[in-house]
Amino acid sequence: MDVPDQPEFASYLSLSTAPLDHHTGSVGTSEALAHPHYRLIGTIDENGLADLTMTNLTSGQSETLNQYLFPSHGKAPKCGPLKLDLRTWDLDSASLKRQAVRGFLRDEIAPN
């Protein structure tokens, strides 16, 4: 699946009055968003057949799932096909501290 790493979306704040006017400008994304811990990519067809790969981007290990997601006696989905590209992050305390040490979150979180 071909999904751009940089989506074609931007936000701009226009704050014309004090005391926030110095924040006027483009809103950037956190550097941490460029470094997800996991990625799930693949497709689910109109019959519920999933062809998905989950990759742990920290270790490089991948696991593939190729099976029907619905029981044979259940109803088939009424939508599809779907293409997925999900990127996720560990948000537990230890993972956030590792991100802060790397500098990805230095500006996004306040020190304890």
Side-chain angles (χ1 to χ4, degrees):
M1 179 184 312
D2 186 27
V3 177
D5 287 329
Q6 299 297 321
E8 296 178 19
F9 177 82
S11 294
Y12 184 85
L13 292 178
S14 178
L15 306 167
S16 58
T17 59
L20 299 176
D21 57 341
H22 65 282
H23 290 292
T24 293
S26 295
V27 177
T29 59
S30 167
E31 178 64 23
L33 291 178
H35 303 280
H37 297 112
Y38 307 97
R39 188 171 187 184
L40 176 69
I41 190 167
T43 61
I44 304 172
D45 74 10
E46 62 277 358
N47 298 312
L49 178 61
D51 184 14
L52 304 170
T53 300
M54 195 286 285
T55 304
N56 178 326
L57 297 171
T58 303
S59 70
Q61 294 179 324
S62 291
E63 187 175 327
T64 300
L65 172 73
N66 191 305
Q67 69 181 46
Y68 285 95
L69 298 179
F70 304 95
S72 60
H73 61 280
K75 290 186 175 181
K78 301 243 184 218
C79 65
L82 302 174
K83 291 182 180 180
L84 301 172
D85 185 353
L86 303 176
R87 300 162 198 199
T88 62
W89 292 257
D90 286 326
L91 297 178
D92 59 279
S93 178
S95 294
L96 290 175
K97 285 179 184 175
R98 280 192 299 274
Q99 291 280 38
V101 167
R102 291 183 189 132
F104 298 143
L105 297 177
R106 193 164 291 136
D107 297 330
E108 285 83 359
I109 61 174
N112 291 337

